[in-house]
Amino acid sequence: MSATVAPARRRRRRTHVLVFLAPAVVIYTLFMVYPLLDSLRLSLFGVVDGREVFVGFDNFRLLLGDDLLSARFWNAVGNNLVFFAVHFVVQNPIGLLLAALLASPTLRGRAVYRTLIFIPTTLSVVIVGFIWQLILSPLWGFVQTPLLGRSSTALITLSLMSVWQYVGIPMLLFYAVLISIPDDLVEAAYVDGANDWQVFWRIKFPLLLPTVGMVTVVTYVANMNAFDLIYTVKGALAGPDFSTDIMGTLFFRTFFGFQLQRGSSTMGATVATFMFLLILAGVLLYFFGWQRRVETYEL
Amino acid sequence: MATATTTARPHSAPGAHHPVRHQPTWRRRLGAAMPHLVLIGYTLVALAPIAMIVMNSMKERRAIFSEPFRLPTAETFSLVGYQTVFERSRFELYFLNSFVVTVVSVLLVLLLGSMAAFALSEYRFWGNTLLALYLALGIMIPIRLGTVSILRLLVDLSLVNSLLGLILVYTAMGLPLAVFVLGLFFRQVPRDLKEAARVDGASEYWVYRLAMPLIRPGLAAIGVFTMLPIWNDLWFPLILTPGESVRTVTLGAQLFLGQFVSDWNAVLAVLTLAMLPMLALYIIFSKQFMRGLTQGAIK
């Protein structure tokens, strides 16, 4: 057939491919790839006399070397890792428990539970932030301690608010895996004398592990550029005393400036570059440290 | 039917020792009720805060504090909060803006994403794999990291404070995942069908149109995945479209909440208003929503 294809038809085929691909590639390149690369470039520039000049790694040296800036930076990195750790430790067990209960074949009303439990995930982070701010407000009096007002509890409280919102996603992903496990496999184990507990940990859990890894890396990336929740509840200064400051809020303040601090595009780009490196490190760790070691089973 | 399988299990395994059968009835009943207790408990955790907000938004101020858990009665019913919202801000305009941005962005992502995915999965051409990889990079890298340069770009294009600017950024943000996932769906469209159409003299555009209905589950999944973060986003509206006339609901609510923080009636009303559209949409389409998400998750 290919021998009979006329040159004209072949060329037309090529225009098709171009028409199909060009719009997506152009928009993606212009509004995503170019800005990302340009941000990386900007992190190597500084403003001297109102003009942008190449300064090498000066911005990075400033961010890590200056006493105040580096304290803020490491504080934000640490807080962000705590933010992620709380997600990891809390959302996986809860998501797993809910998914396992939902996937049990004798359960009635599963669709209702699933739909209702997923509702918080559909809300905007701004709404979630304010809902909890009101619920936790000592004015309303359900909680007497100002959990969001103390630097010792604010970050953990905010992390848990975020878990409350997003736990529906791991639940749903785990659930999707659990219901795709063939009945024969489970039945065979029961016939061999395994109990529910053994069936879960020996058969279902290994099949869930790849999804646990995927959920974890997606959560990590989302957490590393989180911003909305902290900004909504605590403002750009991420108080009290920067105890809830994460990379996203640090980036925002560095770029736009806040109170006495003046905003800087190039320093903002530098913080963004660090965020990029942190995300890259996490993703690479996932691909090489986890995904390659966890066995994936074809069902 | 579901209960039949569990009671049948001990019979199918006569050799296996099953302690369940010797347990007293009340313990077995408790065992059967346990999943429901846990699920109802967690459903309450997920919904109670939302219900509190909606319920109290329709009460007069004193009742909000004196009896927060009671539904509004004839005496305590009051819509003063909603009145404040519509008198003091242009919420109907914010809704319209959010609606336009979300709908246009999602449609663009679905259209351009499916076109690119079709081309990548249908035709072999030089650089196909490389281009697919290039487009997939954006799945893991958050577009927010390029914010400094996105703002500069939009300033150069005079697209700051314009809904079009926001739409283009969101389209770029949604495309990588759309191209990747829709490509998986396109690959499952039977080859015979496309070849038959080609033999009948159909153009490639027609073949694409023909394949579209067959990937509907994929389109639904991507539609959901794309819509939620766009409607709920605070970051880009805050930075790219802070102007009053182009404000989105999420940003509008955030600013209003900051301004009226001590007016609990107004705050509760704004929260209810801002979450209502997504909530209504979600509950109406929950079945399709869940199917789309679960299917997208398995991919």
Side-chain angles (χ1 to χ4, degrees):
Chain A
M1 195 182 95
S2 58
T4 57
V5 172
R9 191 190 148 112
R10 205 182 262 169
R11 200 176 312 132
R12 215 181 54 198
R13 211 163 213 229
R14 237 176 253 148
T15 43
H16 284 137
V17 178
L18 203 66
V19 169
F20 278 131
L21 281 169
V25 172
V26 167
I27 291 186
Y28 171 70
T29 307
L30 189 61
F31 291 96
M32 186 153 181
V33 178
Y34 162 72
L36 283 167
L37 293 176
D38 192 53
S39 270
L40 295 182
R41 179 191 68 84
L42 272 176
S43 67
L44 301 174
F45 281 68
V47 180
V48 178
D49 301 330
R51 280 183 38 238
E52 260 167 30
V53 289
F54 182 77
V55 295
F57 290 102
D58 278 4
N59 294 332
F60 294 86
R61 249 174 251 139
L62 187 66
L63 193 62
L64 298 179
D66 182 85
D67 284 347
L68 184 67
L69 287 180
S70 74
R72 289 273 172 279
F73 174 76
W74 290 115
N75 174 49
V77 173
N79 286 342
N80 220 147
L81 290 176
V82 171
F83 191 64
F84 165 69
V86 173
H87 278 81
F88 180 76
V89 170
V90 182
Q91 80 175 5
N92 283 322
I94 296 183
L96 203 57
L97 174 69
L98 295 174
L101 292 176
L102 283 177
S104 106
T106 51
L107 187 84
R108 305 177 97 204
R110 138 181 345 140
V112 177
Y113 286 126
R114 208 176 43 177
T115 306
L116 294 179
I117 291 175
F118 199 74
I119 282 182
T121 311
T122 65
L123 300 179
S124 128
V125 179
V126 172
I127 309 285
V128 170
F130 261 92
I131 287 181
W132 280 102
Q133 221 177 334
L134 293 190
I135 304 271
L136 298 178
S137 162
L139 269 180
W140 224 348
F142 307 129
V143 185
Q144 294 300 336
T145 354
L147 289 173
L148 288 165
R150 287 197 186 147
S151 51
S152 54
T153 52
L155 182 62
I156 304 283
T157 310
L158 283 161
S159 313
L160 290 175
M161 282 157 58
S162 177
V163 171
W164 174 81
Q165 172 170 24
Y166 289 120
V167 78
I169 292 175
M171 176 190 81
L172 214 62
L173 293 173
F174 294 149
Y175 171 75
V177 176
L178 286 175
I179 56 167
S180 72
I181 297 175
D183 287 340
D184 322 355
L185 202 65
V186 177
E187 283 301 314
Y190 280 122
V191 170
D192 288 342
N195 59 33
D196 289 347
W197 189 250
Q198 287 169 322
V199 165
F200 184 81
W201 288 109
R202 302 268 176 84
I203 296 182
K204 296 181 177 170
F205 190 69
L207 292 169
L208 278 166
L209 266 182
T211 310
V212 173
M214 198 189 81
V215 167
T216 304
V217 75
V218 169
T219 307
Y220 176 79
V221 175
N223 286 166
M224 274 299 156
N225 75 113
F227 165 81
D228 301 20
L229 183 67
I230 312 282
Y231 183 77
T232 298
V233 178
K234 301 268 85 175
L237 280 175
D241 196 21
F242 297 102
S243 62
T244 57
D245 199 18
I246 57 173
M247 295 307 283
T249 40
L250 179 73
F251 176 31
F252 185 83
R253 278 202 318 276
T254 315
F255 182 19
F256 288 100
F258 213 79
Q259 294 184 345
L260 292 175
Q261 188 186 347
R262 278 184 58 197
S264 153
S265 306
T266 51
M267 281 309 282
T270 309
V271 175
T273 303
F274 268 114
M275 292 166 75
F276 174 73
L277 293 176
L278 280 168
I279 287 170
L280 197 68
V283 172
L284 289 178
L285 203 70
Y286 162 70
F287 275 117
F288 294 104
W290 168 279
Q291 209 197 26
R292 291 220 172 156
R293 293 197 190 162
V294 169
E295 281 179 72
T296 317
Y297 305 89
E298 280 295 328
L299 289 179
Chain B
M1 200 191 89
T3 43
T5 49
T6 38
T7 47
R9 199 185 295 138
H11 298 290
S12 66
H17 178 69
H18 259 268
V20 183
R21 296 179 83 191
H22 306 296
Q23 279 171 4
T25 339
W26 65 268
R27 268 184 83 177
R28 215 182 318 161
R29 285 232 181 100
L30 191 71
M34 216 38 205
H36 286 284
L37 288 179
V38 176
L39 286 169
I40 290 172
Y42 195 82
T43 307
L44 280 177
V45 171
L47 295 189
I50 300 172
M52 289 282 296
I53 301 297
V54 176
M55 210 162 74
N56 283 294
S57 76
M58 289 175 268
K59 286 189 201 163
E60 53 162 29
R61 191 180 162 82
R62 211 154 14 109
I64 294 174
F65 292 103
S66 59
E67 40 199 46
F69 294 110
R70 300 251 314 259
L71 280 167
T73 61
E75 284 156 41
T76 57
F77 183 80
S78 157
L79 291 178
V80 63
Y82 293 90
Q83 220 176 326
T84 319
V85 174
F86 283 105
E87 272 168 14
R88 298 299 190 80
S89 77
R90 296 165 65 191
F91 239 74
E92 61 294 338
L93 176 72
Y94 306 160
F95 270 123
L96 185 69
N97 288 336
S98 274
F99 183 76
V100 170
V101 168
T102 310
V103 169
V104 177
S105 306
V106 170
L107 287 179
L108 277 175
V109 167
L110 291 179
L111 177 69
L112 306 184
S114 64
M115 280 162 54
F118 180 76
L120 287 174
S121 60
E122 189 66 20
Y123 311 120
R124 282 211 207 142
F125 53 88
W126 185 86
N128 181 315
T129 322
L130 215 62
L131 192 60
L133 200 69
Y134 171 72
L135 286 167
L137 272 181
I139 298 176
M140 273 301 177
I141 305 171
I143 193 170
R144 285 182 181 185
L145 301 183
T147 304
V148 174
S149 303
I150 289 177
L151 182 58
R152 289 185 167 202
L153 179 68
L154 291 193
V155 170
D156 291 344
L157 298 171
S158 324
L159 285 177
V160 172
N161 271 331
S162 109
L163 294 182
L164 180 62
L166 214 48
I167 288 170
L168 288 167
V169 172
Y170 286 143
T171 307
M173 178 171 98
L175 277 172
L177 191 70
V179 173
F180 180 72
V181 172
L182 295 180
L184 298 175
F185 278 91
F186 269 125
R187 244 162 259 150
Q188 290 172 347
V189 174
R191 184 142 287 274
D192 299 355
L193 187 100
K194 292 178 279 196
E195 288 309 321
R198 287 195 180 107
V199 168
D200 287 347
S203 73
E204 290 303 312
Y205 302 111
W206 192 255
V207 176
Y208 160 76
R209 265 202 65 183
L210 214 63
M212 278 298 263
L214 297 173
I215 62 155
R216 209 178 284 153
L219 293 172
I222 289 301
V224 172
F225 272 131
T226 315
M227 177 178 68
L228 283 174
I230 296 178
W231 178 276
N232 290 335
D233 188 38
L234 174 68
W235 176 262
F236 283 118
L238 182 69
I239 291 165
L240 304 177
T241 56
E244 159 98 49
S245 61
V246 284
R247 206 167 281 168
T248 61
V249 171
T250 310
L251 180 61
Q254 204 270 336
L255 292 172
F256 185 91
L257 289 166
Q259 214 178 335
F260 287 80
V261 77
S262 53
D263 184 346
W264 278 55
N265 288 93
V267 166
L268 292 166
V270 146
L271 289 173
T272 308
L273 279 174
M275 61 184 162
L276 225 56
M278 269 297 141
L279 216 58
L281 206 69
Y282 169 69
I283 289 171
I284 295 168
F285 293 106
S286 66
K287 210 178 260 173
Q288 288 85 342
F289 216 85
M290 278 298 151
R291 201 183 306 144
L293 276 174
T294 323
Q295 237 152 10
I298 293 172
K299 288 282 159 188

